[in-house]
Amino acid sequence: MEDRITGAEALLRSLINEGVDTLFAYPGGTIIRVFDSMFSHRNDIRQVLVRHEQAAAHAAQGYARISGKTGVAIVTSGPGATNTITGISDAMLDSTPIVVIAGQVSTTSLGTDAFQEIDLVGVTQPITKWSYQIRRAEDIAWAVSRAFYIAGSGRPGPVVLDFTRNAQDQLIEYKPEKTDHIRSYIPYPAPNPDEIDAAARLIDQAQRPMVLAGHGVELGQAEEQLKAFIEKGDIPVGRTLLGLSVLPTDHPLNMGMLGMHGNLAPNVQTNRCDLLIAVGMRFDDRVTSKASLYAPQAKVIHFDIDKSEFGKNIKPHVTVLGDCRTTLELVTEKIHKSSHREWIGSFRQYRDEEYSKVIADAIHPSSGPLRMGEVVNAVSTLADESTAMATDVGLNQMFSSRYFKYRKPRSIITSGGLGTMGFGVPAAIGATFGAPDRTVVVFCGDGGLQMNIQEFGTIMETGAKVKIIMLNNNFLGNVRQWQQLHYNSRYSCTPMINPDYAKIAEAYGICSRTVSERSELEAAIRDMFRTDGPYLLIANCLEEENVMPMIAYGDAVDKMIFSI
């Protein structure tokens, strides 16, 4: 008979049984027993001490997004647990598989307002796939196995385990478990042949079809199936923000990014096509703008693994429920090989218009201060093909998403649904551990960088080779743009007085360089990529720069504006 072990040790063995190789963690009193067990497993699992619990959740997200595995964060109770809620919410909206394990007071103290007690299950139930309190050590193997199965299967998402102190201390005879089925939970619905046939018929009948590819293609690892489908059907593709790397930027059927700050061609053609084929996307309001004005002329096919998305925002004519890796293959087999040369050619006028009115000056300005787009374009041009891009939120996110060139799957790590400032740096740190063979760059604004700048300490301690490019305009730029557009340039609380970022980087042992002149940019980027370690490139950019074109709030997607 195996020796009895503590619940804390059982947790670590259960994590190892799930293939966990990295933990993003911050210790505290109610979880200290687990950290004691972690010490014994420091050669089995990499343990990354973050500087704030929010960063632990974001780092777990970055790890998950680039690796395709489930990220793990371990924190203490009370404020340690509540500090992860932003990351948990972010993971829920962006369907990112993470497991957050938080300490909790002993069961005998529950409900007494004990020190650092919070009803974490109650707080997180609306923002998780599953939230569970472990009160007995004998439930640990079951709960951990179930947590990883739920987080990583079907439509992925976050799971919270609230781990009471007494359950950590109790002694048990440990037996590992592996969950592969939960009654009433069907993560991979079987495709319906009638839905497959109906979709194929609509596609074959369409004269002007268009695919909207989203994050679900990446989550389903269906990039090759998407490519086979669009190439057989000769169908142009618009991609959502989170779906940008599901198709290489230079693929001839890629027509650009959808949405408020996306590209003109796919937005305009959304309201010109006769068939919209949505694959793994949820018709977010940043894509549709005013729903009543969205593609009223088109029939809609919606592929998704989560039936709750059907009709939630846009009513489909045909739904295809299931894992898109499977359903795309089935539909591709059914459709006839087609040619839509004239329809695809009609995108060019809008692409040319956007290039002449916006893109040319954004990436190749002839004079004046540095522009955010040209910095992103230069970084992307000089990066190797395996480089993955993380972003923070704001103008930096929109410029980097628009002008970075995507060559491989899982190459964009950004906060889509929640739009979390402070996401970029910790997510990029997590990504370096999730894919240590890939270069990870992260674009930040001066606002978002300061929200989690303490994670420079994590970079210093771990040596995470994050390449941070700060697009510094001394403004909270995205809000400033809206103030200019809608509030007569009344810049309330958006101008920023900033610190000396180079000195901060130096204090943390991070190499840095500041550029303000166009003539210095390429050399600085080359220096960044040559440096074997973390790097902060500070690019001082045009202060009142706007990301264009854009859809004004509440307008139709084909009514993009080019200036304010």
Side-chain angles (χ1 to χ4, degrees), residues 361 368-372 395 472-475 480 539-546:
D361 190 51
L370 285 172
R371 306 286 289 274
M372 292 188 184
L395 289 188
N472 182 25
N473 64 354
N474 299 304
F475 270 104
R480 184 214 57 76
N540 293 323
C541 298
L542 177 66
E543 289 195 348
E544 294 188 61
E545 183 177 8
N546 295 319

Side-chain angles (χ1 to χ4, degrees), residues 283 302 306-316 319:
F283 290 109
H302 195 170
D306 182 357
K307 66 181 180 181
S308 71
E309 291 296 341
F310 295 149
K312 187 175 77 175
N313 297 317
I314 298 297
K315 185 177 180 180
T319 61

Side-chain angles (χ1 to χ4, degrees), residues 90-163:
D90 198 292
M92 187 66 177
L93 284 175
D94 286 352
S95 301
T96 305
I98 64 171
V99 173
V100 174
I101 300 164
Q104 182 58 279
V105 300
S106 294
T107 54
T108 54
S109 298
L110 289 173
T112 68
D113 292 333
F115 179 66
Q116 293 191 336
E117 180 193 0
I118 192 75
D119 180 6
L120 186 62
V121 170
V123 169
T124 58
Q125 274 183 336
I127 55 170
T128 56
K129 284 188 73 177
W130 187 50
S131 187
Y132 180 76
Q133 187 174 80
I134 301 173
R135 297 188 176 193
R136 307 182 309 162
E138 52 261 44
D139 295 333
I140 292 167
W142 170 86
V144 171
S145 175
R146 188 181 178 97
F148 276 81
Y149 179 65
I150 292 172
S153 61
R155 181 179 182 173
V159 168
V160 166
L161 293 178
D162 192 36
F163 197 9

Side-chain angles (χ1 to χ4, degrees), residues 6-12 15 23 25 27-41 47 73-75 101-104 140 163-165 167-169:
T6 66
E9 175 65 17
L11 174 73
L12 269 295
L15 293 177
L23 302 173
T30 62
I31 199 71
I32 197 168
R33 170 73 85 167
V34 169
F35 278 78
D36 183 63
S37 291
M38 283 167 58
F39 186 85
S40 301
H41 290 281
Q47 299 162 23
I74 298 185
V75 299
I101 300 164
Q104 182 58 279
I140 292 167
F163 197 9
T164 60
R165 179 64 190 262
Q168 298 170 40
D169 293 338

Side-chain angles (χ1 to χ4, degrees), residues 389-439:
M389 180 194 76
T391 84
D392 210 86
V393 167
L395 289 188
N396 65 89
Q397 179 186 37
M398 294 296 98
F399 275 109
S400 57
S401 299
R402 282 175 57 85
Y403 296 120
F404 195 82
K405 299 172 184 66
Y406 306 94
R407 304 173 179 99
K408 289 185 62 174
R410 296 189 179 272
S411 289
I412 181 168
I413 303 158
T414 192
S415 173
L418 197 63
T420 304
M421 290 179 68
F423 173 89
V425 168
I429 293 170
T432 65
F433 291 104
D437 58 329
R438 299 183 68 180
T439 301

Side-chain angles (χ1 to χ4, degrees), residues 39-59:
F39 186 85
S40 301
H41 290 281
R42 60 193 184 278
N43 295 323
D44 305 320
I45 301 179
R46 183 189 298 110
Q47 299 162 23
V48 180
L49 172 64
V50 295
R51 290 340 191 230
H52 192 283
E53 292 91 352
Q54 180 185 346
H58 291 328

Side-chain angles (χ1 to χ4, degrees), residues 165-408:
R165 179 64 190 262
N166 58 286
Q168 298 170 40
D169 293 338
Q170 290 168 359
L171 297 175
I172 57 166
E173 294 174 5
Y174 173 73
K175 181 180 179 181
E177 293 197 22
K178 195 68 176 178
T179 300
D180 57 13
H181 171 76
I182 296 174
R183 189 177 63 181
S184 78
Y185 172 55
I186 305 173
Y188 304 103
N192 183 325
D194 291 339
E195 293 180 348
I196 301 297
D197 289 344
R201 282 195 301 271
L202 275 184
I203 294 165
D204 280 343
Q205 293 166 5
Q207 300 299 309
R208 301 183 307 280
M210 180 174 165
V211 167
L212 312 179
H215 192 204
V217 176
E218 178 179 278
L219 295 172
Q221 300 180 48
E223 292 89 353
E224 290 304 314
Q225 287 74 15
L226 175 70
K227 188 185 296 186
F229 170 64
I230 62 172
E231 289 176 354
K232 184 176 182 181
D234 198 31
I235 305 172
V237 181
R239 300 160 301 157
T240 68
L241 175 65
L242 294 181
L244 284 173
S245 64
V246 302
L247 196 66
T249 298
D250 61 0
H251 192 284
L253 291 172
N254 167 35
M255 299 301 161
M257 183 170 78
L258 301 160
M260 178 178 286
H261 292 294
N263 295 113
L264 179 66
N267 280 322
V268 169
Q269 298 292 67
T270 293
N271 279 14
R272 304 288 183 274
C273 67
D274 61 3
L275 178 65
L276 274 183
I277 308 163
V279 185
M281 55 89 71
R282 56 192 178 89
F283 290 109
D284 177 79
D285 60 292
R286 285 296 175 104
V287 166
T288 66
S289 192
K290 191 171 184 177
S292 62
L293 301 177
Y294 185 77
Q297 80 296 333
K299 291 186 177 180
V300 176
I301 301 173
H302 195 170
F303 289 74
D304 210 286
I305 200 168
D306 182 357
K307 66 181 180 181
S308 71
E309 291 296 341
F310 295 149
K312 187 175 77 175
N313 297 317
I314 298 297
K315 185 177 180 180
H317 296 78
V318 171
T319 61
V320 182
L321 180 63
D323 181 356
C324 63
R325 185 182 178 118
T326 299
T327 55
L328 279 173
E329 277 190 351
L330 292 173
V331 171
T332 302
E333 290 173 3
K334 292 276 187 178
I335 65 173
H336 295 92
K337 188 168 180 61
S338 301
S339 174
H340 298 104
R341 182 177 301 176
E342 184 177 345
W343 165 237
I344 292 169
S346 70
F347 282 74
R348 179 170 294 280
Q349 62 176 310
Y350 302 111
R351 301 181 83 174
D352 290 346
E353 181 183 359
E354 182 180 358
Y355 188 86
S356 64
K357 289 183 176 180
V358 172
I359 296 175
D361 190 51
I363 64 175
H364 298 301
S366 58
S367 62
L370 285 172
R371 306 286 289 274
M372 292 188 184
E374 75 172 307
V375 176
V376 174
N377 182 65
V379 170
S380 182
T381 299
L382 295 170
D384 64 54
E385 288 199 354
S386 69
T387 298
M389 180 194 76
T391 84
D392 210 86
V393 167
L395 289 188
N396 65 89
Q397 179 186 37
M398 294 296 98
F399 275 109
S400 57
S401 299
R402 282 175 57 85
Y403 296 120
F404 195 82
K405 299 172 184 66
Y406 306 94
R407 304 173 179 99
K408 289 185 62 174

